[in-house]
């Protein structure tokens, strides 16, 4: 088979291994606090950073497991209604893969232990924040010449077994894809888009 045919076969028949949730152990570590105490503070810092560095670059990881024969996404839950994917802002000049691994370690890694073997896979989506405001879109609106943030989502293949450490102020929950689908009211537009973004994959339940 030619290299071109191999790439086409790989692209058209993308297979992802999912391991059962019971394979993983979840410990607790010190709280992980946001850099900004309020939403206005967050957007003010974004304005300040934009003047110095330009568009903010963020990355988030989509970590999958299976339970009851169904794919689940690992989400961080703060309080009763706020959910987010692990990840965050990249430092100026930092690469996407190295930055995401750093952020995953900061969020879910065990202190004084080597990081799990995160394997950064496919890009699942690109989201853009056109202004210093909450709304984000999976495209750059036509009237926007310089978006304020570019967020990139990556599928992360997690090892067959691992131990994670969850910050005390968060819960780590496994949300089934059917619960996320078309549920922007409960999970926001980015997380609720994941089932559509991942429907091109073939999942193998290990």
């Amino acid at each position: 088979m030619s290299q071109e045919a191999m790439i086409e076969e790989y692209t058209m028949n993308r297979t992802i291994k999912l391991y059962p949730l019971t394979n993983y152990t979840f410990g607790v570590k010190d709280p992980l606090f946001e850099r900004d105490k309020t939403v206005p503070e967050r957007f003010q810092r974004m304005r300040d950073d934009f003047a110095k560095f330009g568009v903010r670059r963020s990355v988030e990881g989509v970590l999958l497991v299976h339970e009851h024969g169904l794919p689940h996404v690992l989400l961080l839950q703060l309080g009763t209604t706020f959910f987010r994917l692990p990840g965050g802002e990249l430092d100026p000049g930092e690469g996407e893969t190295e930055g995401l691994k750093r952020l995953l370690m900061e969020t879910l890694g065990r202190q004084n232990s080597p990081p799990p073997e995160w394997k950064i896979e496919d890009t699942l989506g690109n989201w853009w924040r056109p202004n210093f405001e909450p709304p984000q879109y999976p495209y750059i609106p036509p009237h926007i010449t310089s978006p304020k943030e570019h967020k990139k989502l990556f599928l992360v293949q997690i090892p067959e077994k691992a131990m994670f450490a969850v910050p005390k102020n968060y819960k780590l929950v496994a949300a089934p894809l059917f619960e996320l689908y078309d549920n922007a009211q409960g999970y926001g537009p980015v997380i609720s888009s994941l089932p559509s973004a991942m429907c091109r994959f073939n999942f193998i339940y290990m």
Side-chain angles (χ1 to χ4, degrees), residues 23-43:
N23 275 24
Y24 303 100
T25 304
F26 302 95
V28 178
K29 66 180 179 181
D30 293 339
L32 180 66
F33 296 110
E34 298 288 336
R35 294 176 63 180
D36 313 296
K37 295 181 180 179
T38 65
V39 173
E41 283 185 14
R42 180 187 179 200
F43 287 116

Side-chain angles (χ1 to χ4, degrees), residues 91-148:
D91 294 330
E94 186 175 29
E96 294 170 343
T97 299
E98 313 91 80
L100 180 53
K101 288 182 178 180
R102 172 183 63 81
L103 290 160
L104 289 173
M105 185 61 185
E106 291 176 3
T107 307
L108 296 174
R110 297 162 57 199
Q111 295 169 334
N112 303 318
S113 296
E117 294 181 7
W118 314 110
K119 185 178 179 184
I120 313 302
E121 299 274 6
D122 300 55
T123 300
L124 290 179
N126 290 276
W127 286 78
W128 306 87
R129 190 187 305 275
N131 300 300
F132 299 112
E133 298 172 351
Q136 300 174 78
Y137 303 93
Y139 54 86
I140 302 176
H143 61 286
I144 298 298
T145 57
S146 182
K148 307 307 182 283

Side-chain angles (χ1 to χ4, degrees), residues 126-192:
N126 290 276
W127 286 78
W128 306 87
R129 190 187 305 275
N131 300 300
F132 299 112
E133 298 172 351
Q136 300 174 78
Y137 303 93
Y139 54 86
I140 302 176
H143 61 286
I144 298 298
T145 57
S146 182
K148 307 307 182 283
E149 181 178 12
H150 177 202
K151 178 182 292 182
K152 206 164 183 179
L153 309 183
F154 290 93
L155 181 64
V156 179
Q157 178 75 69
I158 55 179
E160 181 178 357
K161 294 185 178 181
M163 177 179 287
F164 300 106
V166 183
K168 289 181 181 177
N169 55 329
Y170 282 95
K171 288 196 303 183
L172 191 66
V173 299
L177 291 190
F178 68 79
E179 186 177 302
L180 304 181
Y181 178 67
D182 201 26
N183 192 1
Q185 183 175 358
Y187 292 95
V190 176
I191 293 175
S192 64

